[in-house]
């Protein structure tokens, strides 16, 4: 269970919206930067902090539009994904990513180190990586993840399934717990 | 390793094994430094109230003076009308601020 010490997100947001309270906003940033930056790292490890920073600046500007009907963290993920897409389009990075590949034809990567897991993840499509990160790393439901990524539920599920298949093909021999090697 | 539970456990373990703990390391400060300046919110101060009251008084006086002069002498009406206009302008400006 996740316990929040101090004022709730909702109270802090109200202070920011009504009084432009930067201390309240700083508390929100400190509270959520870990999850937001971890998600940004999944999307683009090289520019993760810039993406996360852009997301928080967007949050500051548009905090009055947060409806409060879901978790603030989910809304921050949404802004992070949007910031990532904007940067990616600007840099035409999407043209450089690997196209849709049949999982069966993928050559497993050497996953002896953490960075190799990162390399395997980098071979997934942006949407697949984002969907896996939200559903498996951040623990969002499919519904929540679909809302964050602004896509229909069925599409989200397809990305999750395809991403899982690819990851399993790429990391076939990988044992994340290190138990099989023992 | 083929059922859904194992599949989920595998993917979660893969993603979390690669997850590094992220210290703040100045991140919050950088975010705060990059925020736009606070939105200016003008409040109706005592100074604004005095200006508004004076402007309304000037406008009223101007209107009465104009009526009294009867608009018969152009030379006397013109400055009075100007005073009234200035008063109205001041009142509107204060109210808008």
């Amino acid at each position: 269970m996740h316990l929040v010490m101090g004022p709730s997100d909702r109270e802090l947001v109200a202070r920011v919206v009504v009084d432009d309270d930067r201390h309240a906003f700083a508390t929100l940033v400190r509270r959520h930067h870990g999850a937001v930056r971890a998600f940004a790292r999944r999307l683009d490890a090289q520019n993760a902090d810039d993406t996360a920073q852009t997301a928080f600046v967007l949050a500051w500007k548009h905090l009055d539009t947060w409806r409060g009907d879901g978790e603030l963290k989910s809304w921050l993920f949404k802004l992070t994904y949007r910031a990532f897409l904007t940067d990616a389009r600007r840099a035409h990075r999407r043209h450089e990513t690997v196209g849709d590949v049949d999982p069966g034809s993928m050559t497993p990567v050497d996953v002896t180190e953490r960075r190799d897991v990162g390399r395997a993840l980098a071979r997934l499509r942006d949407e697949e990586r984002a969907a896996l990160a939200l559903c498996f790393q951040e623990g969002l439901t499919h519904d929540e993840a679909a809302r964050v990524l602004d896509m229909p539920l069925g599409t989200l599920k397809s990305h999750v399934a395809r991403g899982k298949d690819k990851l399993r093909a790429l990391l076939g021999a990988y044992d994340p717990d290190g138990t099989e090697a023992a | 390793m083929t059922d859904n539970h194992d599949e989920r456990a595998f993917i979660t373990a893969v993603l979390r094994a690669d997850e590094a703990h992220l210290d703040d390391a100045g991140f919050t400060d950088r975010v705060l430094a990059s925020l736009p300046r606070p939105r200016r919110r003008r409040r109706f101060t005592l100074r604004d109230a005095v200006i508004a009251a004076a402007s309304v008084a000037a406008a009223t006086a101007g209107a009465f003076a104009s009526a009294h002069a009867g608009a018969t002498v152009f030379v006397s009406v013109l400055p009075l009308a100007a005073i009234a206009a200035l008063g109205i302008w001041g009142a509107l400006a204060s109210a808008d601020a």
Side-chain angles (χ1 to χ4, degrees):
Chain A
M1 193 170 138
H2 181 64
L3 290 175
V4 175
M5 302 296 286
S8 68
D9 284 353
R10 201 178 298 269
E11 289 168 330
L12 292 167
V13 167
R15 284 191 214 165
V16 174
V17 171
V18 174
D19 298 325
D20 275 346
D21 186 340
R22 288 183 178 232
H23 294 295
F25 190 71
T27 305
L28 287 171
V29 175
R30 285 192 198 97
R31 187 174 288 174
H32 294 295
H33 81 89
V36 168
R37 289 165 72 197
F39 179 51
R41 275 164 52 103
R42 283 283 168 252
L43 298 171
D44 179 1
Q46 280 190 324
N47 301 296
D49 275 8
D50 289 343
T51 304
Q53 186 170 327
T54 304
F56 277 113
V57 172
L58 284 172
W60 167 262
K61 288 179 182 171
H62 302 291
L63 209 49
D64 56 339
T65 66
W66 179 57
R67 288 174 299 181
D69 52 356
E71 279 195 50
L72 182 69
K73 193 167 75 171
S74 296
W75 186 68
L76 292 172
F77 286 148
K78 188 176 193 127
L79 296 180
T80 306
Y81 189 61
R82 282 188 191 166
F84 161 73
L85 288 181
T86 303
D87 285 348
R89 285 188 192 118
R90 198 172 290 153
H92 300 288
R93 270 185 247 129
R94 291 168 76 79
H95 295 296
E96 296 165 14
T97 58
V98 179
D100 209 6
V101 182
D102 174 20
S105 69
M106 293 180 126
T107 312
V109 295
D110 178 6
V111 287
T112 52
E113 294 183 34
R114 280 184 175 183
R115 61 187 160 81
D116 296 316
V117 173
R119 222 170 59 193
L121 285 164
R123 292 176 67 179
L124 306 186
R125 292 177 62 190
D126 296 339
E127 299 88 347
E128 292 161 355
R129 218 164 45 246
L132 289 182
L134 290 173
C135 294
F136 292 95
Q137 190 173 338
E138 301 301 335
L140 269 60
T141 64
H142 284 173
D143 273 336
E144 290 168 334
R147 277 199 295 275
V148 166
L149 301 179
D150 203 17
M151 60 178 62
L153 182 59
T155 308
L156 182 277
K157 286 181 176 175
S158 299
H159 287 313
V160 169
R162 204 179 300 236
K164 279 198 303 188
D165 288 347
K166 287 184 186 176
L167 207 51
R168 183 161 281 288
L170 286 164
L171 301 175
Y174 179 60
D175 175 19
D177 300 324
T179 51
E180 286 178 15
Chain B
M1 291 289 272
T2 53
D3 70 26
N4 283 340
H5 180 74
D6 284 354
E7 182 85 348
R8 183 172 191 88
F10 174 78
I11 302 293
T12 303
V14 165
L15 291 172
R16 293 197 175 154
D18 185 47
E19 187 179 47
H21 175 71
L22 294 169
D23 289 323
D24 187 291
F27 178 80
T28 301
D29 291 338
R30 286 198 298 279
V31 169
L32 292 181
S34 64
L35 296 181
R37 292 167 64 86
R39 295 176 281 276
R40 288 191 63 198
R41 295 176 184 206
R42 283 214 52 179
R43 294 193 173 134
F44 200 68
T45 61
L46 179 64
R47 179 177 153 272
D48 294 327
V50 169
I51 291 173
S55 301
V56 170
T60 308
F64 274 115
S66 294
H68 187 258
T72 51
V73 183
F74 180 74
V75 176
S76 64
V77 167
L78 193 60
L80 292 173
I83 290 169
L86 274 174
I88 292 167
W89 174 77
L92 289 174
S94 292
D96 187 48

